[in-house]
């Protein structure tokens, strides 16, 4: 029987592959740990203290919506899309609220009967959302996840709440609107 000998070049190759495999594994573990520890921003980084009345464009209808037992929120009645994906929403959390609020914008899906008449509707695809804003703050612009194809899009803006004291929700309410490009 012939005795096999280990070549120095083969040992170098095996060690090199083992080192590379260990480095790739260490990089994968580090990336996983980093991604698992990253928390999404809770508060909207673009929140401004105050009210947007003095910077509202003249053609903007700004309205206070009140949901008893949930919260109050002011925003544009017909928000406009600028720069492709920026929705001028002017979401405002009035100072009298005791909750943080955020806006989530959804497309609307219509349910039609056999004759084609709309009999119901519901929120469908999430288009984008703000972070939470504190009482006495507002957010001028919400960036949509994708550009909208149509010049008019039926939308539902969900106002979500977060209780400052205990971390629960006061509930939500929806504002029906049309987004214009």
């Amino acid at each position: 029987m012939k005795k096999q000998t280990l070549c120095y070049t083969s040992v170098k190759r095996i060690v090199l592959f083992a080192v590379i495999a260990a480095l790739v594994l260490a990089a994968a573990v580090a990336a996983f740990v980093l991604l698992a520890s990253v928390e999404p921003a809770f508060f909207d980084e673009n929140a401004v203290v105050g009210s947007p009345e003095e910077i509202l464009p003249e053609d903007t209808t700004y309205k206070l919506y009140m949901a008893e037992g949930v919260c109050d929120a002011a925003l544009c009645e017909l928000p406009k899309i600028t720069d492709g994906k920026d929705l001028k929403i002017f979401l405002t959390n009035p100072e009298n609220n005791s909750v943080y609020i955020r806006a989530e914008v959804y497309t609307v899906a219509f349910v039609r009967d056999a004759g084609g008449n709309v009999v119901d509707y519901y929120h469908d695809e999430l288009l984008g959302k703000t972070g939470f804003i504190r009482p006495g703050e507002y957010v001028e612009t919400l960036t949509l996840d994708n550009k909208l194809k149509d010049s008019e899009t039926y939308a539902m803006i969900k106002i979500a709440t977060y209780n400052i004291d205990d971390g629960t929700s006061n509930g939500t309410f929806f504002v029906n609107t049309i987004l214009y490009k």
Side-chain angles (χ1 to χ4, degrees):
M1 211 163 151
K2 195 173 182 184
K3 190 176 182 185
Q4 277 194 309
T5 59
L6 202 55
C7 171
Y8 178 69
T9 305
S10 295
V11 171
K12 279 177 45 179
R13 189 176 303 137
I14 291 169
V15 169
L16 179 63
F17 285 136
V19 168
I20 290 173
L23 288 173
V24 168
L25 181 63
V29 168
F32 176 76
V33 168
L34 179 65
L35 289 175
S37 67
V38 172
E39 290 184 31
F42 182 76
F43 290 109
D44 196 297
E45 62 187 26
N46 297 313
V48 177
V49 174
S51 179
E53 274 98 5
E54 53 281 341
I55 65 165
L56 287 171
E58 282 187 31
D59 61 344
T60 301
T61 307
Y62 180 72
K63 185 175 176 183
L64 178 66
Y65 296 90
M66 296 178 283
E68 191 173 328
V70 179
C71 72
D72 297 343
L75 55 115
C76 282
E77 196 168 20
L78 298 169
K80 291 187 178 97
I81 299 169
T82 60
D83 300 326
K85 292 180 12 176
D86 290 338
L87 181 66
K88 294 294 186 178
I89 193 167
F90 294 98
L91 173 68
T92 305
N93 190 353
E95 288 184 11
N96 64 314
N97 277 344
S98 61
V99 294
Y100 302 143
I101 65 169
R102 81 165 169 217
E104 301 171 8
V105 181
Y106 293 88
T107 58
V108 176
F110 295 100
V111 178
R112 299 180 186 275
D113 64 12
N117 300 312
V118 175
V119 294
D120 200 6
Y121 61 92
Y122 57 92
H123 68 284
D124 194 21
E125 177 189 348
L126 177 65
L127 297 173
K129 62 184 175 181
T130 67
F132 281 95
I133 58 174
R134 297 168 183 90
E137 293 182 340
Y138 73 94
V139 173
E140 179 178 344
T141 304
L142 178 154
T143 302
L144 301 175
D145 296 335
N146 298 303
K147 288 185 177 182
L148 298 179
K149 297 172 189 156
D150 300 326
S151 60
E152 293 180 2
T153 302
Y154 290 97
M156 295 176 86
I157 300 174
K158 176 183 176 183
I159 304 299
T161 61
Y162 180 85
N163 280 319
I164 299 164
D165 298 329
D166 60 9
T168 62
S169 172
N170 262 15
T172 61
F173 68 93
F174 287 88
V175 175
N176 295 324
T177 189
I178 300 173
L179 309 179
Y180 291 99
K181 281 200 226 181

